């Protein structure tokens, strides 16, 4: 296969979302030569990338190539065998457990299956990160949860008392996003945000991701199989194959790439 050379620097790229990327824009997330293996299974090989403030990096590729594993390393749920992951310039692999918990407060995570607590109401699900990690008066918990639901086009009055079993798939996803943003994170991580949704609902979630990116000015990493979602939400795309990054660049270059593997993925 004729592979594109990979570079972590795409300094002159004009993002599709948010403000333009510039050389002096702070790097929020940086992976340096990550390697991870479980016994004989080499999951990641020499993975490097940068995500600057306000950018949205989409990580794409077939199942089993390590996309979601990268999210776990960013959260330090996994520690690589080699390499570094830096959040705001700080190598989180060198931090204590308590220090990692502080770094995680900068992040919001939206899980593939929403991961709502079945026995908790919508309000309690959204408020959970506030109660778990912050000491806030109840009035502020209610206000923040209501604001987060409003951002995903839901209201506390209509949905707050409902249980997850009473919600549609798209509504569960929106509640999951509301929970991810309720503590006003600097970084948003999405694991397959449109998987399992019908096309119309998936489009609604894509529009929501774009709006949140613009309104909240967060830095995002999106793992997805959904080509349309990736092309509409990403400022940069990293494609994995055989545990390595074979493409890194803006969506415009991705769709114009003549690599047969990329063409097959897009088609």
């Amino acid at each position: 296969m004729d592979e594109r050379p990979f570079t972590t620097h795409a300094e002159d790229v004009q993002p599709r979302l948010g403000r333009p990327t510039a050389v002096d824009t702070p790097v929020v997330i940086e992976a340096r030569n990550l390697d991870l293996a479980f016994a004989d299974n080499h999951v990641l090989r020499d993975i490097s990338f940068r995500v600057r403030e306000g950018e949205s990096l989409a990580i794409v590729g077939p199942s089993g190539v390590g996309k979601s594993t990268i999210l776990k390393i960013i959260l330090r749920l996994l520690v690589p065998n080699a390499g570094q992951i830096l959040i705001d310039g700080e190598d989180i692999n060198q931090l204590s457990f308590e220090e990692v918990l502080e770094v995680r407060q900068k992040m919001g995570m939206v899980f593939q299956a929403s991961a709502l607590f079945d026995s908790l109401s919508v309000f309690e699900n959204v408020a959970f990160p506030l109660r778990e990690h912050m000491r806030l008066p109840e009035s502020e918990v209610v206000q923040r949860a209501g604001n987060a639901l409003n951002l995903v086009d839901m209201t506390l009055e209509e949905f707050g008392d409902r249980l997850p079993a009473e919600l549609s798939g798209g509504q569960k996803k929106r509640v999951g996003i509301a929970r991810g943003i309720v503590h006003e994170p600097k970084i948003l991580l999405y694991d397959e945000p449109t998987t399992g949704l019908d096309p119309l609902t998936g489009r609604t979630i894509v529009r929501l991701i774009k709006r949140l990116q613009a309104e909240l000015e967060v830095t995002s990493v999106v793992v997805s199989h959904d080509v349309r979602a990736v092309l509409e939400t990403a400022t940069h795309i990293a494609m994995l194959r055989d545990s390595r990054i074979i493409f890194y660049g803006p969506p415009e270059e991705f769709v114009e790439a003549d690599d047969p593997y990329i063409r097959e993925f897009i088609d």
Side-chain angles (χ1 to χ4, degrees):
M1 184 181 75
D2 181 18
E3 295 183 355
R4 289 174 56 101
F6 166 59
T7 174
T8 58
H9 303 281
E11 311 293 7
D12 297 326
V13 170
Q14 179 80 13
R16 298 160 68 99
L17 299 173
R19 54 184 176 274
T21 306
V23 176
D24 59 352
T25 302
V27 176
V28 177
I29 305 171
E30 182 172 5
R32 295 179 179 174
N33 309 111
L34 297 177
D35 267 81
L36 180 67
F38 300 106
D40 295 331
N41 180 21
H42 213 131
V43 181
L44 300 174
R45 299 176 186 267
D46 196 27
I47 299 296
S48 297
F49 59 80
R50 287 179 176 175
V51 192
R52 295 185 180 274
E53 187 177 87
E55 290 183 341
S56 178
L57 172 67
I59 302 175
V60 303
S63 299
V65 295
K67 302 187 302 297
S68 296
T69 300
I70 293 176
L71 294 184
K72 293 177 182 178
I73 291 176
I74 293 173
L75 288 162
R76 218 189 84 165
L77 298 174
L78 288 174
V79 177
N81 301 115
Q84 297 174 297
I85 189 76
L86 285 77
I87 304 297
D88 287 332
E90 190 171 35
D91 183 1
I92 62 172
N93 293 332
Q94 305 303 316
L95 301 181
S96 67
F97 178 73
E98 291 74 17
E99 290 170 329
V100 169
L101 291 180
E102 291 184 15
V103 173
R104 285 180 186 162
Q105 294 310 301
K106 300 180 181 182
M107 306 181 196
M109 179 71 199
V110 179
F111 297 93
Q112 178 174 340
S114 301
L116 302 180
F117 298 105
D118 292 337
S119 60
L120 298 183
S121 68
V122 165
F123 166 67
E124 293 294 343
N125 266 285
V126 175
F128 183 83
L130 302 179
R131 300 196 192 283
E132 188 76 4
H133 303 294
M134 305 172 74
R135 294 183 178 180
L136 299 173
E138 183 64 16
S139 59
E140 187 169 350
V141 171
V142 173
Q143 181 181 6
R144 287 200 181 195
N147 290 342
L149 285 168
N150 288 338
L151 282 169
V152 299
D153 300 323
M154 302 177 79
T155 64
L156 203 56
E157 293 75 19
E158 183 178 359
F159 293 96
D161 293 332
R162 297 191 192 183
L163 293 173
E166 302 174 84
L167 304 176
S168 68
Q171 289 170 341
K172 289 179 183 178
K173 189 73 72 172
R174 284 189 278 161
V175 173
I177 294 173
R179 185 178 60 186
I181 64 175
V182 71
H183 62 294
E184 301 174 0
K186 181 177 184 178
I187 298 167
L188 266 178
L189 307 175
Y190 298 89
D191 190 4
E192 299 286 0
T194 60
T195 293
L197 302 178
D198 63 80
L200 183 59
T201 305
R203 294 286 296 157
T204 299
I205 297 301
V206 168
R207 287 194 296 269
L208 175 59
I209 292 172
K210 291 171 65 177
R211 180 158 62 82
L212 291 176
Q213 183 76 12
E215 291 185 10
L216 304 181
E217 297 185 342
V218 292
T219 301
S220 303
V221 179
V222 182
V223 164
S224 182
H225 288 92
D226 188 336
V227 176
R228 183 180 298 241
V230 164
L231 295 179
E232 291 195 23
T233 60
T235 59
H236 297 82
I237 295 173
M239 184 167 197
L240 298 181
R241 183 183 186 187
D242 299 329
S243 307
R244 300 180 185 273
I245 293 180
I246 64 165
F247 173 93
Y248 180 90
E252 293 83 357
E253 292 183 12
F254 186 70
V255 297
E256 294 174 358
D258 56 7
D259 184 298
Y261 187 76
I262 295 175
R263 300 284 0 131
E264 181 179 359
F265 181 81
I266 293 174
D267 294 340

